[in-house]
Amino acid sequence: MKILVLNCGSSSIKYQLFDIDKKIVMAKGIVEKIGLEESILKNNRNDGDKVLVTEEIPNHTIGIEKILNLLIDKDHGSLKSFDEINAVGHRVVHGAEKFNSSVLITDEVVKKMKECIDLAPLHNPPNLKGIAAIKEILPNIPQVGVFDTAFHQTMPDYAYMYAIPFELYEKYSIRRYGFHGTSHRYVSQRACEILNLDFKKQKIITCHLGNGASIAAVKNGKSVDTSMGLTPVEGLMMGTRTGDLDLGVMFYLMNKENLDVKAANALVNKKSGVLGISGISSDMREVEEAEVKGNKRAKLALSMYNYRVKKYIGAYAAAMGGVDVIVFTGGIGENSPETREEICKGFEFLGLDFDSNVNKGIRGKEMVISKPESKVIAIVVPTDEELVIAQDTFEIISK
Ligand code: ADP
C-alpha cells in the first residue's frame, strides 16, 4: 500500500511517499515559493536520485500536479502510475474542538474544517487548498486529515480554559488547544516502545524544541496539558516568538510604539524569541556559535530559553504528580546536547540522574541520556510526524 503525505503551507508543500508494507519512504520533497516568480520543486528518491526543478508554480493545485507528475516520471519517479497511490494523508493545523482524532475527509469534514479557519487563518486555508487540489486531480482517492491539535483534545477544562469571561469562550471558542500534537503523540509512544514501558501507565513530559517549540504533559497515554494555546505563540520561548508574555507589555508597547494589531502580531510572532534577544538569528546553531565566542546577548537568549523549558518541566511534573520519562525532540531537542544538558541540570531532586557523557555525543538519534540507575528517564527521540500521518491514513482507509 502506498500513501502520499502532504503538508501544505502558505507558500510551500512538503511531501513524502510511503510504502506502508515495506515500511519505507520511497520519495520525499518540497515545493517552495508557490506564487512567486521562481518556484522550486525538489524531489529525493530513496535510492539517492535527486531532482531540482525551477519553474513557475502559481498555486497549490499546480504544485501538487507537478509533485504527482514527478512521482510517475520515467527517469526520476517512484511509481508507474497514479493508480498505485492508495490514499493521501494531510497535515491539518487546527481542528478546534471539532476533531479529536484523524478522520476520513468527506464534504461534511471539509465544511467543519472551514469553520476552523477563523482560529488558524494562516495555516488552515493552505491545508484545505491541498485537499481540494487532490480532489480535483485524483477525485477517487481517499483522503485523511491529521490534526496538530487533536492529541491535546484530552486536556481537562481547567487546563485549557483562559480566565476570560466564560461567554467569550462560548461565543468564539477561545481556549487553549495546543499544537505539535502529532509529534508529542509519536515521541511519547515511541519512547515507551524503546524503553519497553506501558504507555498507558506513564507520566511523560515531551519537549518538542524546533523553530516553534512546545512541551506537553502526557499522563496514562493522554495529553493533559501543553504549552501552546489558542495560537502557537504561548508557552516556551521560540526562534522568533515570545512565548508567555505579560499582556500588559503588549498594551504598553502598542501605546508607546503606535502599533496596530498587525504590527503587534508581527512583534510577538516574528521579531521576538531567540532572534529578538540575541539580535543574531532565530537559528539555534548560530546563537550557540556566538555564545561560544563570548556574545553576551546570545548567552542571555540561551539562558532564557533553557530556563523556560526547565520551569515548564517542573510545572508539568507538579501537574501529573511526578514524571517517569522526559523526551527531547525537534531540531534543537534532537541535535543540541548543550540545550538538553542545561535544561536537565539540577533535576536530581526530581529523580533525574543525567548522563552528560552519553548526552554529548547524541545528535538526531534515539538514545537514553540518563544514567541506568536514574529514577526518571531522559531520552532523545527524533520526531516523525509524516510517519504518523501515513500510519493514521493507512488505519482509517483499512477500516
Ligand atoms: P521546524 O519547527 O521549522 O520544523 P526544526 O524542528 O527543524 O524546526 O528545528 C530547527 C531548529 O533546530 C533551528 O533553531 C536549528 O538551529 C536547530 N538545530 C538544528 N541542528 C542543530 C544543531 N546541530 N545544534 C543546535 N541546534 C540545531
Side-chain angles (χ1 to χ4, degrees):
M1 175 157 322
K2 314 259 183 340
I3 288 172
L4 177 65
V5 171
L6 292 179
N7 179 354
C8 297
S10 58
S11 66
S12 73
I13 305 169
K14 291 188 197 137
Y15 64 93
Q16 291 196 14
L17 178 68
F18 283 83
D19 183 325
I20 291 284
D21 310 302
K22 292 193 186 139
K23 295 195 169 107
I24 55 164
V25 177
M26 301 171 73
K28 63 174 157 185
I30 184 166
V31 174
E32 288 174 294
K33 301 191 183 174
I34 295 173
L36 300 179
E37 253 166 38
E38 288 216 316
S39 316
I40 301 164
L41 166 55
K42 289 185 215 162
N43 183 71
N44 292 349
R45 204 166 55 186
N46 63 349
D47 63 359
D49 179 79
K50 285 190 169 68
V51 195
L52 194 158
V53 192
T54 320
E55 60 184 317
E56 209 190 321
I57 301 181
N59 59 47
H60 286 70
T61 307
I62 295 184
I64 288 177
E65 216 163 58
K66 302 260 182 215
I67 293 169
L68 290 169
N69 286 333
L70 220 158
L71 291 176
I72 58 160
D73 184 84
K74 71 177 179 358
D75 296 321
H76 303 290
S78 308
L79 303 169
K80 290 200 188 72
S81 81
F82 296 151
D83 296 341
E84 281 185 70
I85 304 175
N86 299 87
V88 177
H90 294 265
R91 173 188 180 213
V92 182
V93 171
H94 218 307
E97 288 179 337
K98 297 177 196 296
F99 300 101
N100 59 12
S101 61
S102 305
V103 287
L104 184 70
I105 297 173
T106 59
D107 290 344
E108 182 59 24
V109 165
V110 169
K111 193 169 152 257
K112 278 200 204 165
M113 282 179 178
K114 285 185 178 158
E115 288 164 14
C116 302
I117 287 180
D118 238 9
L119 293 173
L122 298 179
H123 293 101
N124 278 23
N127 302 157
L128 279 157
K129 279 186 192 163
I131 292 166
I134 291 289
K135 194 169 175 200
E136 193 181 324
I137 307 166
L138 303 171
N140 296 321
I141 212 156
Q143 302 195 66
V144 167
V146 179
F147 301 86
D148 273 22
T149 49
F151 182 56
H152 301 303
Q153 277 297 299
T154 46
M155 279 193 281
D157 52 5
Y158 55 81
Y160 71 65
M161 286 301 290
Y162 289 116
I164 55 171
F166 193 81
E167 303 75 46
L168 294 176
Y169 160 67
E170 293 178 312
K171 193 168 171 190
Y172 300 114
S173 306
I174 294 182
R175 47 158 282 184
R176 309 183 58 257
Y177 290 97
F179 298 88
H180 294 138
T182 313
S183 176
H184 290 292
R185 168 156 71 107
Y186 172 75
V187 299
S188 53
Q189 281 174 345
R190 179 74 195 131
C192 289
E193 264 171 40
I194 299 166
L195 300 168
N196 207 8
L197 296 171
D198 183 352
F199 181 53
K200 295 270 160 65
K201 292 186 179 155
Q202 304 302 311
K203 295 170 183 151
I204 307 171
I205 297 177
T206 45
C207 310
H208 178 113
L209 311 177
N211 262 324
S214 68
I215 183 161
V218 183
K219 188 177 184 182
N220 303 337
K222 289 182 176 162
S223 171
V224 292
D225 206 348
T226 191
S227 57
M228 283 177 169
L230 174 78
T231 77
V233 78
E234 193 181 342
L236 301 176
M237 178 171 161
M238 306 178 215
T240 60
R241 296 178 212 153
T242 55
D244 296 335
L245 177 76
D246 178 355
L247 293 172
V249 173
M250 227 40 251
F251 303 139
Y252 187 88
L253 284 177
M254 286 175 86
N255 189 25
K256 288 278 181 196
E257 299 263 313
N258 268 328
L259 305 178
D260 60 9
V261 173
K262 200 170 163 210
N265 204 8
L267 177 75
V268 296
N269 273 295
K270 302 235 158 80
K271 299 181 182 172
S272 297
V274 175
L275 171 69
I277 294 294
S278 70
I280 296 166
S281 170
S282 62
D283 192 298
M284 208 48 135
R285 282 165 292 202
E286 290 179 34
V287 181
E288 284 182 354
E289 272 169 34
E291 189 219 9
V292 172
K293 289 183 191 142
N295 185 300
K296 289 210 172 86
R297 275 172 56 187
K299 185 173 178 0
L300 174 63
L302 296 177
S303 306
M304 288 170 66
Y305 187 95
N306 298 333
Y307 179 66
R308 190 76 65 94
V309 181
K310 195 186 255 302
K311 277 209 301 190
Y312 264 99
I313 291 176
Y316 287 170
M320 293 191 290
V323 53
D324 301 309
V325 184
I326 301 174
V327 187
F328 288 95
T329 195
I332 300 165
E334 292 165 26
N335 295 300
S336 172
E338 296 80 7
T339 303
R340 295 191 301 253
E341 166 131 26
E342 286 304 314
I343 291 167
C344 291
K345 222 160 60 180
F347 271 154
E348 292 76 17
F349 78 94
L350 267 186
L352 175 62
D353 201 349
F354 190 70
D355 194 331
S356 292
N357 286 330
V358 170
N359 175 56
K360 274 190 187 83
I362 305 306
R363 287 183 200 275
K365 64 173 180 189
E366 293 176 344
M367 183 62 88
V368 172
I369 50 172
S370 50
K371 293 192 179 148
E373 62 275 19
S374 181
K375 189 167 88 52
V376 175
I377 300 170
I379 183 171
V380 178
V381 180
T383 194
D384 198 341
E385 289 156 287
E386 288 76 14
L387 176 66
V388 178
I389 297 173
Q391 285 171 339
D392 278 12
T393 303
F394 169 71
E395 271 170 35
I396 286 174
I397 65 158
S398 306
K399 269 184 197 157

